[in-house]
Amino acid sequence: MAIDRAFAGRTFPAGEPYEVSRVKIAEFADAIGDPNPLYRDRAAAQTAGYPDVIAPPTFAIVVTMASSALAMADPGLGLNYAMVVHGEQRFEYSRQIMAGDVVTAQSTITEIKDAGRNVLLTTATEIRTVGGEHVVTAHSTLVERGGAGGSS
């Protein structure tokens, strides 16, 4: 089954709110091997001008995963996840994610296009506080290998 190109432009509902905790931020920083005290020490973060510890820039992926997974799992999309590799990830921040934030993520499939025999599926996931403040937009490109069926 080929990817349904009509999904380009489709926005999926926001998922459940995610409460960002100091523990989750520290665990993520440990996982990526980043010893920055702003990710663990509230006093250090406050000295740097933040109200609490901040998350590493790539922490946004933790929040976006559930939202983008809803989009990718839609059976009508026709994505063959067994053939998918992650092509690109970037983040556009309005401000840092901080401990105490309660955020939601809403994903939109922004583009579906062929690249040789592959299909590139790009999403934009907006992360906002439950009060509506924009925090970050995560842009992701997935590559479905062989999905286009054309020649390279």
Side-chain angles (χ1 to χ4, degrees), residues 18-26 53 59 98-101:
Y18 180 91
E19 187 170 347
V20 180
S21 72
R22 288 186 199 124
V23 170
K24 289 295 182 188
I25 291 172
V53 297
F59 182 85
M98 293 177 269
D101 280 340

Side-chain angles (χ1 to χ4, degrees), residues 26-53:
E27 288 173 349
F28 188 87
D30 288 343
I32 63 171
D34 193 330
N36 189 331
L38 298 180
Y39 306 150
R40 295 174 179 79
D41 183 341
R42 186 174 186 199
Q46 288 175 329
T47 298
Y50 300 103
D52 208 324
V53 297

Side-chain angles (χ1 to χ4, degrees), residues 3 15 74 89 123 136 141 152:
I3 291 179
D74 188 308
Q89 186 73 53
T123 61
V136 59
T141 300
S152 302

Side-chain angles (χ1 to χ4, degrees), residues 3 6 10 22 25 27 41 45 52 61 63 67 71 73 92 105 112 124 126 133-134 139 142 146 148:
I3 291 179
R10 186 174 294 186
R22 288 186 199 124
I25 291 172
E27 288 173 349
D41 183 341
D52 208 324
I61 198 69
V63 181
S67 179
E92 293 178 354
I112 300 172
E126 286 196 9
E133 176 191 9
H134 180 267
H139 300 273
L142 299 179

Side-chain angles (χ1 to χ4, degrees), residues 135-149:
V135 179
V136 59
T137 300
H139 300 273
S140 179
T141 300
L142 299 179
V143 179
E144 184 187 67
R145 297 169 291 137

Side-chain angles (χ1 to χ4, degrees), residues 34-139:
D34 193 330
N36 189 331
L38 298 180
Y39 306 150
R40 295 174 179 79
D41 183 341
R42 186 174 186 199
Q46 288 175 329
T47 298
Y50 300 103
D52 208 324
V53 297
I54 60 171
T58 54
F59 182 85
I61 198 69
V62 172
V63 181
T64 66
M65 288 300 291
S67 179
S68 61
L70 286 175
M72 300 306 105
D74 188 308
L77 177 60
L79 180 69
N80 181 356
Y81 213 77
M83 297 302 290
V84 168
V85 294
H86 195 212
E88 177 188 8
Q89 186 73 53
R90 66 185 171 86
F91 304 98
E92 293 178 354
Y93 274 88
S94 293
R95 70 160 174 84
Q96 294 294 129
I97 296 173
M98 293 177 269
D101 280 340
V102 179
V103 296
T104 60
Q106 185 171 36
S107 293
T108 299
I109 297 176
T110 57
E111 184 177 37
I112 300 172
K113 68 179 183 179
D114 292 346
R117 290 184 39 82
N118 302 317
V119 177
L120 306 181
L121 188 145
T122 304
T123 61
T125 302
E126 286 196 9
I127 298 175
R128 296 182 175 275
T129 65
V130 291
E133 176 191 9
H134 180 267
V135 179
V136 59
T137 300
H139 300 273

